Amino acid sequence: MNHQATGRMNRNGSGVRRTFQGLTVTVLVVFLAFSMIPSFNVMSGTIIEWEPHPTIEEYKDIYAISSTESIEIKESSSSATRDIPTTNDNSRIKNSPRDADVLSPSIGNKIDGTGDIFESDGKRFDSSIKVHLNIRSWFQKREHYYSSWSEIIGSVREMKSNADKDGPILDFLVAGFPKTGTTTLVANLGHVAPVPARDICHGNLPKIVKNAYGNWPRIFGKDKPLTGFKCPQYMNRGDWLVDLSEKMPRTKLIVGIRHPILWFASFYSQMTNNWGKINPMDLTRPCSKEEKCQYGCPEGQRNCIYRGRFHLALASLGKTKMTNRERLILAMNDADGGNAVENYNISNSIFLYEQTTLNDDYVWEELAEYLNVAEIPHSRYASSHGKADKFKKRKEHQAEMKSGSSRNSKSTMTKNSTLVREDFCSDKYDKIRAKMMPIAYEVAVWMQDYFIPLARDESRTDVVIPKPDVMYDIVETYKKDPCGTLVRDENSGTYRKSNSTISGGIVGEG
């Protein structure tokens, strides 16, 4: 090898060494730099401080507001006035026991539906107040822990057990029941949460959390304090409820009920609108033990009169003691009733409302307290036929959302629904109503004897019912035919028209 070739190799070797040394230094500098700065969470698009989970005591320190500490505030130009609960008015705050040891409900500031903040004296300030001095600190801080809530198991991402131990990840779930005003409910919750006014029903919690912290805020607004979603199927899906309770027990359930006759009339109307005329008698067959029941209906049916047994689904939450006596009124003669009703021991708290009360302010006030916000504007109405963006004025739907008769009256309900008046109050539907009324009666008795008393018990903060005495009176009307033509036989428990029992054919037929 000549000297020129050797010189070129030496020069090339030196260049490679210098290049390698330069890359090594660069990598070392980058490594040191990233070890000293926060990391970026690709999923949530936020800067994450890779710090260990704060202890409960540290969270208490976060939410504690010193009376002597000075804070920077900027007064809002809004002149709106509202009745805002103050720091000392703790009696109006309803929280689950799980909230008490981490998220203090008695701090001075609460957040209203527009994102503005109220001081404890009721004055309104905007969000320039220091976030670590009020309840918004968790709302803003929690996304920093996004990557710690789930893990890859095999090839599937799963939420960790008790993932929300440091504070709620999803604040609420509108869990049921369909055709009880859930679409209107979630449309108004859109004031305080970036949530679509439609069903999100696939049971994939990691995917829902990803949307709640990623896509939905970009679409429905980032400056909203809460997170949540709507899936009215949850109350009839024990597997989903158990998964939620295990992974996110701090998510608060919101559930609506309705007179089963009116519920079925509304559901039947939706079904015929979507799929054409259906013989409603085809929806009255019970599910047998040999079938795979879904929603309490025979295999292959998504809706039937037995889906209106709201008390079975509510009992399966495990909030009541589920005694043998209680099981006697949980559809004891049905294949999936009585002793077959599962007790899932769901840890999540529940807020139960009645559909006819959605136009009443007190329901929304108590819902706001339940969710730890100052108020929830509730002038929106949304249909459940996929047109949630077409809202109607509140007053225009007052007659539709409320019954025509007094809810506190013990007289027979009047024909208070267009669907019932035009269809299900006609003679040809007497048989269907006669089959459903024993279901409605059982719902009322179980609610009055077992579930409503839980809301009256001050020690049971996991069950919230706005004005339990009003709910008691409303479900009393479930014992009566909303059309006013069928009367209960106290001996047999069946419902009769005149002196004839409607058990086989329609009254008047052979």
Side-chain angles (χ1 to χ4, degrees):
M1 184 179 294
N2 57 38
H3 293 289
Q4 287 183 334
T6 302
R8 284 196 300 270
M9 291 179 63
N10 291 335
R11 288 193 298 271
N12 290 340
S14 299
V16 170
R17 284 194 297 271
R18 286 194 297 270
T19 301
F20 179 79
Q21 292 171 351
L23 288 173
T24 302
V25 172
T26 302
V27 170
L28 181 60
V29 170
V30 170
F31 175 81
L32 292 174
F34 272 95
S35 67
M36 299 173 64
I37 64 174
S39 298
F40 184 75
N41 186 342
V42 177
M43 300 291 290
S44 65
T46 59
I47 297 296
I48 301 177
E49 295 287 346
W50 294 110
E51 57 187 309
H53 284 295
T55 64
I56 289 177
E57 293 301 319
E58 287 173 336
Y59 268 113
K60 288 181 179 178
D61 292 338
I62 290 174
Y63 294 119
I65 298 179
S66 172
S67 59
T68 60
E69 187 173 3
S70 62
I71 56 177
E72 297 176 0
I73 56 176
K74 178 181 177 182
E75 188 168 358
S76 170
S77 59
S78 173
S79 59
T81 58
R82 296 174 174 84
D83 180 21
I84 303 302
T86 65
T87 305
N88 297 325
D89 189 13
N90 294 332
S91 62
R92 297 191 61 205
I93 306 299
K94 293 183 176 69
N95 296 280
S96 72
R98 293 179 174 273
D99 287 338
D101 60 353
V102 177
L103 302 180
S104 171
S106 61
I107 62 176
N109 299 326
K110 298 187 71 111
I111 303 170
D112 80 338
T114 63
D116 289 344
I117 296 175
F118 289 84
E119 270 282 89
S120 57
D121 60 0
K123 294 181 180 180
R124 182 171 178 166
F125 302 97
D126 69 16
S127 57
S128 63
I129 190 169
K130 290 182 177 179
V131 296
H132 66 282
L133 296 179
N134 53 69
I135 199 171
R136 181 173 287 208
S137 83
W138 170 249
F139 296 147
Q140 292 190 344
K141 187 179 182 66
R142 59 181 169 183
E143 66 180 14
H144 293 177
Y145 300 91
Y146 179 94
S147 60
S148 69
W149 297 333
S150 61
E151 59 187 344
I152 299 294
I153 300 179
S155 60
V156 179
R157 180 167 292 278
E158 298 282 355
M159 299 299 295
K160 293 181 180 179
S161 179
N162 200 21
D164 62 357
K165 64 181 181 299
D166 294 319
I169 296 171
L170 296 176
D171 297 295
F172 65 84
L173 161 58
V174 181
F177 289 94
K179 311 308 298 178
T180 62
T182 58
T183 305
T184 290
L185 184 74
V186 78
N188 287 289
L189 285 172
H191 287 294
V192 293
V195 56
R198 60 182 177 84
D199 294 357
I200 308 295
C201 291
H202 47 63
N204 188 331
L205 291 178
K207 183 177 181 179
I208 293 170
V209 171
K210 179 180 178 181
N211 282 322
Y213 284 82
N215 295 332
W216 296 345
R218 288 193 293 269
I219 298 172
F220 303 106
K222 297 181 179 180
D223 191 23
K224 297 179 180 180
L226 302 183
T227 61
F229 71 106
K230 166 183 176 261
C231 176
Q233 295 180 23
Y234 255 83
M235 286 301 297
N236 296 113
R237 290 293 303 264
D239 54 339
W240 288 358
L241 283 171
V242 169
D243 186 51
L244 177 73
S245 180
E246 178 187 346
K247 307 297 177 52
M248 292 187 290
R250 294 185 185 281
T251 298
K252 297 182 176 182
L253 304 180
I254 305 173
V255 177
I257 61 172
R258 188 178 188 179
H259 191 300
I261 296 288
L262 304 180
W263 164 85
F264 181 77
S266 179
F267 219 142
Y268 177 73
S269 175
Q270 184 184 45
M271 293 174 66
T272 55
N273 287 339
N274 291 338
W275 303 309
K277 190 66 176 179
I278 299 172
N279 183 356
M281 289 305 299
D282 293 339
L283 306 177
T284 62
R285 183 176 69 85
C287 187
S288 66
K289 293 182 178 179
E290 292 74 27
E291 294 180 283
K292 184 179 179 181
C293 301
Q294 185 181 28
Y295 310 126
C297 302
E299 190 170 358
Q301 289 188 4
R302 290 181 58 84
N303 186 35
C304 66
I305 64 174
Y306 299 97
R307 195 172 179 179
R309 300 172 303 173
F310 305 134
H311 57 321
L312 268 65
L314 288 168
S316 70
L317 295 176
K319 303 299 183 182
T320 59
K321 294 181 179 179
M322 295 284 280
T323 62
N324 291 334
R325 182 178 181 181
E326 179 182 350
R327 288 182 180 274
L328 290 176
I329 56 173
L330 293 176
M332 189 66 183
N333 296 324
D334 294 348
D336 57 345
N339 292 329
V341 177
E342 297 280 355
N343 183 347
Y344 296 120
N345 289 311
I346 302 303
S347 300
N348 307 71
S349 62
I350 179 174
F351 179 97
L352 186 72
Y353 69 91
E354 214 280 342
Q355 184 263 349
T356 60
T357 66
L358 280 181
N359 212 43
D360 295 330
D361 291 337
Y362 75 88
V363 174
W364 296 94
E365 290 169 359
E366 293 211 33
L367 181 59
E369 293 175 6
Y370 178 68
L371 296 177
N372 289 323
V373 292
E375 70 166 357
I376 302 173
H378 48 279
S379 60
R380 290 177 172 176
Y381 169 86
S383 73
S384 57
H385 298 281
K387 298 181 180 179
D389 57 330
K390 294 186 177 181
F391 299 117
K392 298 181 180 180
K393 293 181 180 179
R394 181 179 178 188
K395 291 184 179 180
E396 293 176 352
H397 290 83
Q398 185 172 5
E400 181 178 341
M401 296 179 67
K402 284 189 175 182
S403 62
S405 60
S406 172
R407 290 192 301 272
N408 295 328
S409 173
K410 295 184 180 296
S411 62
T412 301
M413 291 176 64
T414 60
K415 300 175 182 180
N416 53 22
S417 167
T418 301
L419 289 171
V420 172
R421 182 174 62 251
E422 294 180 356
D423 294 326
F424 282 86
C425 282
S426 63
D427 291 346
K428 64 180 180 178
Y429 292 118
D430 284 347
K431 181 181 177 181
I432 294 177
R433 297 201 320 280
K435 284 180 174 289
M436 286 203 70
M437 280 308 303
I439 294 175
Y441 186 90
E442 269 197 2
V443 171
V445 172
W446 181 83
M447 285 285 299
Q448 291 174 328
D449 291 352
Y450 294 97
F451 204 71
I452 294 176
L454 300 181
R456 291 173 173 156
D457 185 351
E458 294 183 358
S459 67
R460 290 296 301 270
T461 54
D462 59 327
V463 176
V464 179
I465 299 176
K467 294 188 178 180
D469 292 341
V470 174
M471 175 70 84
Y472 188 99
D473 290 337
I474 293 175
V475 299
E476 178 69 22
T477 66
Y478 289 12
K479 300 176 182 179
K480 300 178 181 179
D481 176 17
C483 299
T485 57
L486 304 181
V487 180
R488 186 173 187 268
D489 185 320
E490 297 297 333
N491 294 321
S492 65
T494 58
Y495 279 74
R496 304 170 180 269
K497 183 177 181 180
S498 299
N499 295 322
S500 300
T501 301
I502 308 172
S503 58
I506 300 174
V507 169
E509 294 185 354

